[in-house]
């Protein structure tokens, strides 16, 4: 009866193993029947096509930057599969199923489209978690291969870099004991596991050592800074003369810049420039830097610039607004999501610090450290790069005094900060003194902001920075 059933039903997927022992293999005379019988006897799962879901923000295509798995790997729900990059952010794609990876539909740097298959995953058919339209035919597979791959592990916590290291060394994360918080697997755990397998002896991992500050009597005097003029060193890149023109598609963050700057040309810009005496702020930062370092945060000038801008926006909310496309409505933003332009290997990106109006200077510094680390690694998320309401661009870190910044729609204002220079200035008594001077260049949307408003905001922002103690009166 069962043989007749195999002959008559071409849609049958498998026969349970308890029926296999009833028949002798010689009873199956036809090769077609043998193929169906062999496939069904060892296959106990179905393959689903895991499609790239909608990332949001109108993104329809992404570039595959890195795979964290390979064909034949076992994955669990929420395990990282790959990292993709859109024109707005980098996103890590995680698995929706427990199963075995059977096929990767894209290679590194390929363009993947939303709604199209990303990987094929073989799952347990008895769980019935896959929709019928996602199921594809199960390919033949040996019993030994299936037993090796069907190792079900618990949910593992690990960063993409750790997963990459494990994949390169053919280590299953489910077999590694994590020593991090919530049993998170660290790089040291992978190395220790690898050492046990190979018999290698690894040196102990260096740990951060907190060195107490020296007493004043033992403080080592700082070495005098070189007064000579610094000559910029060109970036060393290999020069290749191929003799042929090269055409590359506009992708990633560069594609986003083209789109944003094309829209920015529709805005009538007007500029306003001024200089700021940061002598007192430089002294204050030098006093607070060691305190911030003890708390694990690098303190730059930017947190002070951002907080002062937020205090100014409370008085001039029109600068923290947006104008609709038809120029009929102005929306005053409740949150001060202040963007900071960053120069990265992927190009210009502008992540923003959320809700600056309720953040302390230390909170802002901590968030900036996080954004800068992710930006350098190209791992900023969509939430970090969207929702900005006001922008500051620190061109002084590279060089330059004045600039003509371009507004990022739908924002209505942006500021460019020059480098801090030691210049001679006169005090109230007419005496020359050494001052720490920084120049600022503002651009504003002249459709909704007039020059007087921009100048008053700049003067208020300037007063906070020139007299940083005055910010204590308005800090919330």
């Amino acid at each position: 009866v069962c043989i007749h059933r195999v002959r008559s039903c071409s849609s049958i997927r498998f026969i349970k193993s308890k029926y296999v022992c009833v028949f002798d293999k010689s009873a199956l005379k036809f090769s077609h029947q043998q193929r169906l019988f062999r496939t069904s006897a060892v296959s106990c799962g179905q393959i689903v096509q895991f499609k790239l879901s909608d990332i949001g923000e109108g993104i329809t295509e992404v570039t595959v930057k890195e795979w964290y798995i390979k064909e034949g790997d076992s994955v669990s729900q929420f395990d990282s599969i790959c990292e993709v990059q859109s024109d707005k952010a980098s996103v890590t794609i995680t698995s929706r199923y427990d199963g075995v990876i059977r096929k990767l539909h894209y290679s590194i740097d390929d363009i993947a489209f939303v709604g199209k298959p990303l990987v094929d995953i073989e799952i347990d058919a008895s769980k019935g978690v896959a929709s019928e339209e996602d199921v594809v035919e199960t390919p033949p597979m040996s019993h030994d291969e299936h037993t090796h791959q069907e190792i079900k592990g618990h949910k593992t916590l690990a960063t993409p870099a750790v997963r990459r290291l494990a994949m390169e060394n053919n280590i299953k994360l489910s077999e590694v004991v994590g020593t991090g918080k919530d049993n998170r697997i660290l790089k040291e755990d992978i190395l220790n596991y690898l050492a046990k397998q190979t018999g290698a002896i690894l040196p102990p991992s260096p740990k951060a050592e907190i060195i107490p500050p020296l007493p004043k009597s033992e403080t080592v005097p700082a070495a005098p800074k070189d007064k000579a003029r610094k000559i910029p060193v060109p970036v060393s890149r290999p020069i290749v003369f191929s003799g042929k023109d090269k055409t590359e598609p506009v992708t990633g963050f560069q594609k986003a810049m083209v789109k944003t700057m094309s829209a920015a040309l529709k805005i009538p810009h007007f500029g306003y420039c001024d200089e700021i005496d940061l002598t007192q702020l430089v002294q204050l930062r030098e006093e607070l830097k060691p305190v911030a370092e003890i708390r694990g945060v690098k303190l730059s000038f930017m947190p002070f610039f951002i907080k002062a801008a937020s205090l100014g926006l409370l008085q001039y909310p029109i600068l923290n607004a947006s104008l609709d496309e038809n120029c009929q409505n102005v929306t005053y933003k409740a949150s001060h999501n202040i963007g900071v332009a960053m120069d990265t290997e992927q190009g210009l990106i502008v992540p923003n610090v959320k809700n600056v109006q309720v953040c302390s200077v230390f909170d802002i510094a901590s968030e900036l450290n996080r954004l800068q680390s992710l930006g350098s690694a190209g791992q900023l998320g969509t939430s970090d790069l969207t929702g900005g309401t006001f922008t500051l661009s620190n061109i002084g870190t590279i060089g330059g005094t004045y600039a003509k910044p371009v507004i990022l729609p739908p924002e209505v204002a942006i500021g460019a900060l020059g480098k801090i220079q030691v210049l001679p200035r006169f005090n109230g008594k007419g005496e020359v003194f050494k001052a720490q001077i920084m120049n600022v260049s503002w651009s504003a949307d002249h459709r909704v902001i007039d020059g007087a408003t921009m100048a008053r905001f700049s003067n208020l922002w300037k007063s906070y920075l020139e007299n940083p103690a005055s910010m204590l009166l308005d800090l919330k």
Side-chain angles (χ1 to χ4, degrees), residues 77-149:
Q77 290 188 51
F78 307 109
D79 280 357
S80 297
I81 293 180
C82 66
E83 180 183 347
V84 299
Q85 185 181 77
S86 68
D87 58 354
K88 297 183 179 180
S90 294
V91 180
T92 299
I93 305 299
T94 58
S95 175
R96 291 166 47 196
Y97 309 109
D98 297 333
V100 180
I101 301 297
R102 289 302 172 206
K103 181 180 179 181
L104 306 181
H105 285 269
Y106 300 99
S107 301
I108 300 297
D109 292 331
D110 282 355
I111 302 298
F113 297 92
V114 172
K116 299 296 183 181
L118 190 64
V119 296
D120 289 352
I121 304 179
E122 182 181 357
I123 64 172
D124 189 350
S126 62
K127 295 182 180 180
V129 295
S131 57
E132 293 184 0
E133 61 271 16
D134 286 346
V135 178
V136 298
E137 288 296 328
T138 304
M141 179 177 56
S142 67
H143 179 71
D144 294 338
E145 180 185 357
H146 176 75
T147 304
H148 175 71
Q149 296 296 343

Side-chain angles (χ1 to χ4, degrees), residues 273-285 301 304-305 308 402 417-428 431-440 458-471:
C273 301
D274 201 357
E275 72 172 31
I276 319 294
D277 184 358
L278 299 180
T279 304
Q280 293 187 36
L281 182 60
V282 170
Q283 296 174 356
L284 177 63
R285 174 178 171 265
F301 289 103
F304 297 97
F305 300 153
Y402 291 100
L417 313 174
K419 62 182 178 181
I420 300 176
Q421 306 176 86
V422 179
L423 298 173
R425 290 295 182 267
F426 291 95
N427 59 18
E431 300 170 341
V432 177
F433 71 98
K434 183 174 67 174
Q436 303 277 354
I437 301 298
M438 181 189 74
N439 298 99
V440 60
S458 180
N459 290 338
L460 179 59
W461 180 76
K462 174 180 178 178
S463 68
Y464 283 132
L465 297 178
E466 291 189 338
N467 303 282
S470 64
M471 285 196 290

Side-chain angles (χ1 to χ4, degrees), residues 355-400:
N355 299 311
V356 176
Q357 75 278 5
V358 294
C359 293
S360 66
V361 173
F362 179 81
D363 293 336
I364 299 170
S366 179
E367 178 66 4
L368 278 178
N369 286 183
R370 185 186 72 86
L371 294 175
Q372 288 167 349
S373 298
L374 294 177
S376 300
Q379 296 178 352
L380 284 167
T382 304
S383 61
D384 296 324
L385 295 169
T386 57
T389 61
F390 186 87
T391 299
L392 292 176
S393 177
N394 189 6
I395 63 171
T397 56
I398 301 176

Side-chain angles (χ1 to χ4, degrees), residues 306-320 332-336 338 356-359 390 457 460 464 471 473-476:
I306 293 175
K307 189 60 184 179
S310 178
L311 294 175
L313 294 176
L314 292 173
Q315 302 297 322
Y316 300 95
I318 185 62
L319 273 73
N320 195 60
Y332 293 84
K333 303 293 185 178
S335 298
H336 296 172
I338 299 183
V356 176
Q357 75 278 5
V358 294
C359 293
F390 186 87
F457 167 82
L460 179 59
Y464 283 132
M471 285 196 290
L473 298 176
D474 295 322
L475 289 177
K476 298 184 183 298

